[in-house]
Amino acid sequence: MERNTKQQQQILEILKESKSHPTIKELCDLVNSEYPNIGQATIYRTINKLVLDNKILRIACPNGIHYDYHKEHYHFYCLRCGKIIDLNLNHDFIVNLLSTKDLNIFKVDLLLEGVCPNCSNSEVEKDGIK
Amino acid sequence: MERNTKQQQQILEILKESKSHPTIKELCDLVNSEYPNIGQATIYRTINKLVLDNKILRIACPNGIHYDYHKEHYHFYCLRCGKIIDLNLNHDFIVNLLSTKDLNIFKVDLLLEGVCPNCSNSEVEKDGIK
DNA sequence: TTGTGTGCAAAGCATTTGCACGGCT
DNA sequence: AGCCGTGCAAATGCTTTGCACACAA
C-alpha cells in the first residue's frame, strides 16, 4: 500500500511554492536548502512518481526538463534567455481542436518556442537567434 | 566554414528513410548496420547540429527523446505501446491560435498523449492506463 | 594547404539501484 | 509488527570531450 511520507509532502510543497519552473537540479537545491537531510534519490523517486500520477507537469525544453506544480496550462520557452512563461490558453479549445481524430487524448503537451518580449526589446543579439 | 561530410549525409539519409521515429540509440543501430565505421560520437554531434539547424525534429516523449526527419507536423504518443503517430494538423491554424500573444513564436512543440486505436481495441489492460 | 569533422576511448554527468535502517499505517 | 520509503553510496548508462588523424574546401 502507498504511503504518504513527510518527505513527499515537503518536496511537493517546495515545488508548489516555487515561482519558477525548476529543473531537477534546481529543485534538489531548493529542497536541500530547507531540508538538508532529504537525499537526492528521494527527490528523483518522488518527482517521477508525481509525474506518473499526473500531480505535476514535466516540461521538456531545449535546455532540459523542467517541472511545474500547476496543471492545465501551457508554456512558452524563450530561445534567448531560457525563461519559461506560463500561457493561459483555453485547454478545452485545444482538446476540441484535436478531438476529430480517433484517438483517446489524455494529455496535451504543448510548448511554444520563440523570443520573449524582454529579449525582443533588448538591443543585444538583434541579428538573430543563436 | 561548415563542411558537408559524407557521414552527415548518410546519417540524415538513414533518418529520412526510417519510417519510425527512432531514439538516438535506435538511430545509432540503424546507422551502424549500414555504415559500421561511423562512430557514435559523430552521430550525436550530427544529430545535435541538425536539431539546432532545424533540419530535423526532436520529439520529447515520456519514454525519451525521438527524432524525425519530417517537419511541420505533430505527434501522438500512445501511453500503452509507446508508438508515435504522425498528425496532420494544420500548422498555420495552430500558430494563429497562439498569435494573439505578444510573443514571437518560432516553433510549436506539440505532443498529444493517450491511447492509440490498436491499444484501445485490444482486450489487454482494459482497466486503465498504467 | 588548412582547419573542421571524425573515430576511438575515456571522462563527465545525470539518474537509478542495492541495501540497511527508519517510520507510516 | 510488518513493510514501504528513505538515505547513502556505488553502479549504471547516456552524452560529451580530448586528441590524433582524415578529408572537404
Side-chain angles (χ1 to χ4, degrees):
Chain A
M1 185 213 169
E2 210 160 86
R3 291 183 191 179
N4 187 16
T5 65
K6 205 169 31 148
Q7 288 92 334
Q8 288 174 21
Q9 294 164 23
Q10 290 167 340
I11 292 169
L12 186 56
E13 190 61 23
I14 292 281
L15 181 58
K16 186 175 183 178
E17 284 169 359
S18 155
K19 290 278 176 57
S20 62
H21 304 80
T23 60
I24 257 286
K25 197 173 174 314
E26 290 164 347
L27 187 65
C28 284
D29 292 344
L30 284 171
V31 168
N32 282 327
S33 68
E34 198 148 342
Y35 309 103
N37 9 353
I38 294 185
Q40 68 159 12
T42 299
I43 300 175
Y44 273 91
R45 284 185 279 230
T46 301
I47 287 296
N48 288 342
K49 189 162 87 68
L50 289 170
V51 169
L52 280 180
D53 293 350
N54 245 314
K55 298 234 177 71
I56 66 174
L57 228 46
R58 183 182 175 281
I59 315 170
C61 293
N63 73 352
I65 306 290
H66 296 248
Y67 296 95
D68 190 346
Y69 175 78
H70 307 284
K71 297 195 299 179
E72 297 287 297
H73 70 254
Y74 306 99
H75 296 93
F76 175 88
Y77 174 84
C78 177
L79 293 164
R80 283 201 193 158
C81 67
K83 188 166 68 173
I84 297 172
I85 298 173
D86 291 330
L87 301 176
N88 292 315
L89 302 173
N90 187 303
H91 178 72
D92 291 336
F93 183 76
I94 292 188
V95 171
N96 280 340
L97 169 65
L98 312 159
S99 61
T100 52
K101 307 279 165 188
D102 54 346
L103 300 164
N104 295 320
I105 312 280
F106 282 66
K107 205 171 152 206
V108 178
D109 231 16
L110 174 64
L111 181 71
L112 307 181
E113 297 173 33
V115 177
C116 72
N118 259 0
C119 291
S120 290
N121 293 333
S122 93
E123 297 300 302
V124 197
E125 281 201 83
K126 61 157 72 164
D127 44 343
I129 305 287
K130 260 290 158 295
Chain B
M1 186 211 168
E2 207 159 89
R3 293 186 190 176
N4 187 16
T5 66
K6 202 169 33 149
Q7 288 91 334
Q8 287 173 21
Q9 294 164 21
Q10 290 166 339
I11 292 168
L12 186 57
E13 190 61 24
I14 292 280
L15 181 59
K16 186 175 184 177
E17 283 167 1
S18 156
K19 288 279 174 60
S20 62
H21 303 81
T23 60
I24 257 285
K25 198 174 171 313
E26 291 164 347
L27 187 65
C28 285
D29 292 345
L30 283 172
V31 169
N32 282 326
S33 68
E34 197 149 342
Y35 308 103
N37 10 353
I38 295 185
Q40 67 158 16
T42 299
I43 301 175
Y44 273 91
R45 283 185 281 231
T46 300
I47 287 297
N48 288 342
K49 189 162 88 66
L50 289 169
V51 170
L52 279 179
D53 293 350
N54 245 314
K55 299 232 177 73
I56 66 175
L57 227 47
R58 185 181 173 282
I59 315 170
C61 292
N63 72 353
I65 307 289
H66 296 247
Y67 296 95
D68 190 348
Y69 175 77
H70 307 284
K71 296 197 298 181
E72 299 284 299
H73 70 254
Y74 306 99
H75 296 94
F76 175 88
Y77 174 84
C78 177
L79 293 164
R80 284 201 191 156
C81 66
K83 188 166 68 171
I84 298 172
I85 298 173
D86 291 329
L87 300 177
N88 292 315
L89 301 174
N90 186 302
H91 178 72
D92 291 336
F93 183 75
I94 292 187
V95 171
N96 281 341
L97 170 65
L98 312 157
S99 62
T100 51
K101 306 279 164 189
D102 54 346
L103 300 165
N104 296 319
I105 314 279
F106 282 67
K107 204 171 154 205
V108 178
D109 232 15
L110 174 64
L111 180 72
L112 308 182
E113 298 173 32
V115 177
C116 72
N118 259 0
C119 291
S120 291
N121 293 335
S122 93
E123 297 299 304
V124 198
E125 279 200 85
K126 61 157 72 162
D127 45 345
I129 305 287
K130 260 289 157 290

